[in-house]
């Protein structure tokens, strides 16, 4: 056990890991994160009973306020991930202005696509500065929401749907199947057969799958309870019931990856993980029109190299198809940004993915880096990675992982990380010495 780890466990006995979170004052981001999680769970249900569009912005409001609080915390310790996040947002703002100025698609549609690729970045910035207490609140909320989802998915498997998903689907002009379910409730299972999948309380199978998949990873690594493995099993089965390949892939990378790294080595674990990932990719490409997930990424990259500053919004993304006749591909969240804002976003994305891999190699036992890599990978292959009603915990953890990597680099550059943590632990017992670690 690493020095300082007992200290973290003693102060927070319910959870393990996440020891990178600074022991400092802070509660507002945690409260707003809880607001985002609760409103995200409720908004689609509310939209089935009312067409009031404001329900769809409840979680966005909480996230925007979180971001403003995070900027105040970063005012005196601005770091590279925060800077790159700002550059990403500015590049996408320029793409938004060009889209509206050139009347490529209606301005409200352009703003929707801009919001889709920028909201996760706001959450990442919030994850850079979250405190241990705030993370504890988020983890408790994730467990509670995921248990509700798992229970509801159990009812769906039995053929019971307490909330009809059709009204919410019709708001977005989604095609309905003869069985009364939205088109996205139908998918090919791993055997290639058409099947009905569970949508959970988010009323969207792909979104729910990512949420329960991330919950399974968090529970496996962070929860200290005799019920831990039972919870992981429940969340894992719920994810499989959604037939969400993104959620399943996230679980594979986030749970199996760290286990392999401890038994073998990250340089061996990553290629081994790549084999089932490629198999899953081939499976996706062979079933129906699911190859659009790959097309969204490749077309986005092609557009970025065709125009360094991008082509503007409207060429990539599901919503782009509903907004006008420019759409060339869909189903890739990162592909939307690449096509719209050009090589700047490609460079930032590659840097983020590379940084996560470097952090993983530097500290092979840190499971958080694997989840960050998984989040970035599924964002390349699924637009639902930007569904903020369900993916806030995942993107918060990506930000926290980058903050951890920076802090570890700073500590190791000034001396041994182990000796630094041990010194901080000794200072706990000295009167008048505050125990606070900068995220810088």
């Amino acid at each position: 056990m690493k020095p300082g780890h007992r200290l973290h466990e003693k102060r927070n006995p319910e959870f393990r890991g996440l020891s990178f979170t600074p022991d400092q004052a802070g509660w507002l981001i945690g409260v707003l994160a809880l607001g985002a999680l609760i409103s995200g769970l409720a908004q689609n249900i509310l939209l089935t009973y009312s067409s009031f569009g404001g329900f769809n912005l409840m979680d966005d409001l909480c996230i925007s306020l979180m971001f403003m609080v995070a900027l105040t915390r970063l005012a005196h310790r601005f770091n590279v991930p925060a800077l790159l996040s700002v550059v990403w947002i500015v590049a996408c703002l320029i793409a938004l202005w060009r889209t509206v100025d050139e009347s490529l698609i209606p301005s409200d549609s352009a703003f929707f696509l801009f919001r889709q690729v920028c909201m996760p970045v706001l959450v990442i910035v919030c994850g850079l500065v979250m405190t241990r207490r705030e993370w504890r609140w988020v983890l408790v909320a994730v467990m509670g929401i995921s248990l509700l989802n798992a229970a509801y998915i159990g009812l769906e498997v039995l053929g019971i749907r307490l909330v009809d998903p059709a009204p919410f689907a019709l708001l977005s002009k989604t095609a309905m199947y003869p069985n009364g379910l939205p088109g996205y409730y139908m998918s090919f299972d791993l055997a290639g057969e058409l099947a009905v999948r569970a949508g959970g309380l988010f009323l969207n199978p792909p979104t729910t799958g990512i949420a329960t998949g991330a919950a399974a990873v968090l529970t496996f690594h962070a929860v200290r309870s005799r019920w831990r493995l039972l919870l992981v099993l429940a969340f894992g089965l719920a994810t499989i019931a959604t037939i969400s390949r993104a959620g399943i892939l996230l679980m594979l990378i986030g749970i199996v990856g760290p286990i392999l790294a401890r038994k073998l080595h990250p340089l061996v674990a990553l290629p081994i993980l790549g084999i089932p990932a490629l198999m899953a990719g081939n499976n996706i490409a062979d079933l129906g029109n699911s190859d659009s997930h790959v097309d969204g990424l490749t077309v986005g990259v092609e557009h970025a190299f065709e125009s360094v500053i991008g082509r503007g919004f409207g060429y990539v993304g599901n919503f782009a198809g509903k907004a006008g006749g420019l759409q060339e591909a869909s189903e890739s969240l990162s592909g939307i940004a690449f096509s719209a804002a050009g090589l700047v976003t490609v460079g930032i994305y590659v840097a983020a993915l590379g940084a996560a891999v470097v952090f993983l190699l530097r500290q092979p036992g840190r499971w958080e880096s694997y989840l960050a890599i998984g989040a970035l990978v599924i964002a390349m292959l699924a637009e639902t990675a930007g569904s903020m009603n369900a993916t806030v915990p995942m993107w918060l953890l990506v930000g926290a992982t980058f903050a951890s990597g920076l802090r570890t680099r700073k500590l190791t550059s000034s001396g041994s990380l182990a000796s630094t943590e041990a010194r901080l632990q000794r200072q706990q017992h000295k009167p008048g010495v505050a125990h606070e670690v900068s995220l810088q």
Side-chain angles (χ1 to χ4, degrees):
M1 184 176 293
K2 296 180 179 180
H5 191 67
R6 290 190 181 89
L7 174 65
H8 296 136
E9 289 188 351
K10 191 179 295 184
R11 291 185 163 207
N12 191 6
E14 292 83 2
F15 301 109
R16 59 183 177 181
L18 300 172
S19 56
F20 50 80
T21 310
D23 198 11
Q24 62 187 32
W27 56 270
L28 187 52
I29 288 182
V31 171
L32 292 170
L34 292 179
L37 292 171
I38 294 170
S39 59
L41 180 70
Q43 66 183 34
N44 288 353
I45 298 175
L46 292 172
L47 285 169
T48 63
Y49 299 105
S50 171
S51 59
F52 175 59
F55 289 141
N56 203 36
L57 298 175
M58 293 191 305
D59 56 337
D60 289 7
L61 176 61
C62 292
I63 292 169
S64 299
L65 293 173
M66 282 170 56
F67 177 68
M68 293 172 66
V69 176
L71 289 180
T72 63
R73 293 188 186 180
L74 284 165
H76 302 295
R77 47 194 166 113
F78 211 66
N79 52 35
V80 173
L83 177 61
L84 292 179
S85 297
V86 171
V87 173
W88 176 287
I89 294 170
V90 170
C92 291
L93 276 171
I94 294 172
L96 175 63
W97 174 78
R98 291 180 56 231
T99 304
V100 174
D101 184 61
E102 298 171 17
S103 300
L104 298 178
I105 57 175
S107 57
D108 57 339
S109 300
F111 181 76
F112 180 91
L113 291 166
F114 166 80
R115 166 178 162 267
Q116 199 173 3
V117 297
C118 284
M119 292 303 288
V121 177
L122 301 189
V123 179
I124 289 174
V125 172
C126 296
L128 291 172
V129 293
M130 283 186 67
T131 66
R132 183 179 296 114
R133 172 168 54 178
E134 290 170 332
W135 256 113
R136 175 185 172 128
W137 293 348
V138 168
L139 286 169
V140 170
V142 168
M143 297 302 107
I145 289 172
S146 300
L147 279 172
L148 288 174
N149 260 313
Y152 188 81
I153 287 173
L155 292 176
E156 287 187 277
V157 171
L158 297 175
I160 302 171
R161 286 189 174 84
L162 302 178
V163 182
D164 182 8
F168 169 68
L170 291 174
L171 284 175
S172 58
K173 300 179 181 178
T174 300
M176 304 299 294
Y177 267 70
N179 60 6
L181 291 174
Y184 46 74
Y185 268 73
M186 308 299 295
S187 180
F188 293 94
D189 60 24
L190 297 179
E193 300 292 331
L194 189 64
V196 176
R197 50 185 181 171
L201 290 171
F202 295 113
L203 306 183
N204 187 306
T207 298
T208 299
I210 293 176
T212 54
V217 177
L218 283 167
T219 304
F220 184 82
H221 294 291
V223 172
R224 299 182 59 82
S225 168
R226 61 179 179 224
W227 304 105
R228 178 175 67 99
L229 294 181
L230 187 60
L231 290 172
V232 173
L233 179 63
F235 299 156
L237 291 175
T239 305
I240 292 172
T242 66
I243 316 181
S244 168
R245 290 168 177 80
I248 294 170
L249 185 60
L250 187 64
M251 284 197 303
L252 176 70
I253 295 174
I255 294 177
V256 178
I259 293 175
L260 288 176
R262 293 188 188 105
K263 300 293 183 182
L264 304 171
H265 188 277
L267 290 177
V268 179
L270 288 175
I272 292 177
L273 282 174
I275 295 173
L278 288 174
M279 293 174 62
N282 288 332
N283 181 266
I284 288 173
D286 290 340
L287 298 178
N289 64 351
S290 294
D291 55 351
S292 59
H293 290 268
V294 178
D295 286 344
L297 175 63
T298 55
V299 169
V301 173
E302 288 171 2
H303 288 181
F305 279 91
E306 289 171 7
S307 175
V308 177
I309 60 172
R311 300 177 66 182
F313 291 101
Y315 294 94
V316 175
N318 278 323
F319 198 78
K322 300 174 183 178
L326 301 176
Q327 184 199 49
E328 297 181 18
S330 63
E331 297 297 350
S332 170
L333 181 65
S334 58
I336 297 173
F338 297 164
S339 172
L343 283 178
V344 171
T345 53
V346 175
I348 293 173
Y349 208 91
V350 171
L353 192 57
V357 173
V358 169
F359 297 157
L360 183 153
L361 295 175
R362 185 177 292 151
Q363 291 186 288
R366 294 304 271 276
W367 59 270
E368 302 92 347
S369 297
Y370 283 91
L371 193 143
I373 291 172
L376 293 169
V377 167
I378 65 172
M380 291 190 289
L381 300 173
E383 280 191 50
T384 45
S387 300
M388 301 317 297
N389 59 330
T391 60
V392 166
M394 179 181 76
W395 292 116
L396 282 174
L397 189 58
V398 172
T401 302
F402 292 150
S404 170
L406 289 178
R407 184 173 69 88
T408 300
R409 183 170 179 268
K410 181 177 180 180
L411 291 174
T412 52
S413 65
S414 60
S416 168
L417 174 63
S419 62
T420 303
E421 289 189 341
R423 186 173 68 254
L424 290 173
Q425 185 177 5
R426 289 194 301 271
Q427 289 176 342
Q428 281 290 321
H429 307 289
K430 294 182 179 180
V433 177
H435 180 65
E436 180 173 329
V437 180
S438 171
L439 277 175
Q440 192 100 305

